[in-house]
Amino acid sequence: MGKIEWAMWANEQALASGLILLTGGIVAVAGQFRGWQFAAYAIAAGAFVCLLEYPRSKRAKGTSVERTGQYCFTVCVKSFGPLTRNYYVRAFLHAALCVPGGFVLATVLGCVCLGIASLIYLAAAIRGEHWEPILPRKKEIRQPGGSVANPPQNPPPRPPPEMRRKRVDDVEGAAYDNPIPVSD
């Protein structure tokens, strides 16, 4: 069995919780709920979490698939260095961000989800994982026809190699022997 990469799960959980926190904050501010100031904070916290968590990390196996339009967010997150690369920092940051949103009913679900993401990031940090950016690789330009040494001579369907007739050019020094004598 393979090793579980906890950071991948934490990233998805944190991104979803940021969206839930943002949505709950918008609902609470628009509805003028009691304590709507906490909901306004939840909008800012949810937007920050979404921006921080949108770029995926490179997986240890190397089978990472980046999100659409992730490159510009990756450059921003990468520029903060160890503050965003270290999962201990992310775990404690998410834990601190989720507390004020718990005072308004519309943002409680987002806060609980962000707290769970914080715990998953803590598990990832304990296991020694860290954030690595997915940067675009240079594409190799392949020359057309470079992989085929001799193109096929016969049109398809082609018989297997052992069933093909030998061409006279391919046989060295052999001449065709007619088994039937020619009469004059």
Side-chain angles (χ1 to χ4, degrees):
M1 219 95 183
K3 180 183 155 190
I4 293 176
E5 292 186 40
W6 291 95
M8 178 183 65
W9 296 101
N11 177 262
E12 296 295 330
Q13 178 74 24
L15 182 63
S17 64
L19 291 171
I20 294 168
L21 195 62
L22 180 69
T23 305
I26 290 171
V27 167
V29 168
Q32 291 293 309
F33 287 17
R34 189 174 330 138
W36 64 270
Q37 296 86 357
F38 290 113
Y41 163 81
I43 292 173
F48 174 74
V49 168
C50 289
L51 293 175
L52 177 66
E53 296 296 334
Y54 190 72
R56 281 188 180 135
S57 175
K58 187 189 298 185
R59 294 185 63 191
K61 285 176 23 179
T63 56
S64 307
V65 178
E66 65 179 288
R67 290 189 173 104
T68 306
Q70 165 178 325
Y71 179 72
C72 61
F73 296 111
T74 301
V75 171
C76 292
V77 170
K78 184 182 172 189
S79 67
F80 286 102
L83 288 176
T84 54
R85 183 169 290 154
N86 190 340
Y87 286 147
Y88 282 113
V89 173
R90 284 195 187 196
F92 292 119
L93 177 69
H94 290 331
L97 286 175
C98 77
V99 172
F103 296 112
V104 179
L105 183 62
T107 60
V108 168
L109 180 62
C111 291
V112 170
C113 292
L114 195 59
I116 292 169
S118 173
L119 292 175
I120 299 171
Y121 267 132
L122 187 62
I126 290 170
R127 285 174 174 74
E129 298 178 30
H130 63 280
W131 188 81
E132 282 292 323
I134 301 174
L135 298 174
R137 289 181 273 159
K138 294 181 180 177
K139 294 184 180 179
E140 296 177 11
I141 301 173
R142 292 178 37 143
Q143 296 292 332
S147 63
V148 179
N150 293 323
Q153 300 295 322
N154 301 344
R158 296 179 192 91
E162 61 272 359
M163 298 295 292
R164 294 184 193 153
R165 286 191 316 169
K166 302 263 187 214
R167 294 188 315 171
V168 175
D169 300 342
D170 293 342
V171 180
E172 295 179 18
Y176 180 71
D177 243 357
N178 190 357
I180 304 173
V182 179
S183 59
D184 291 323

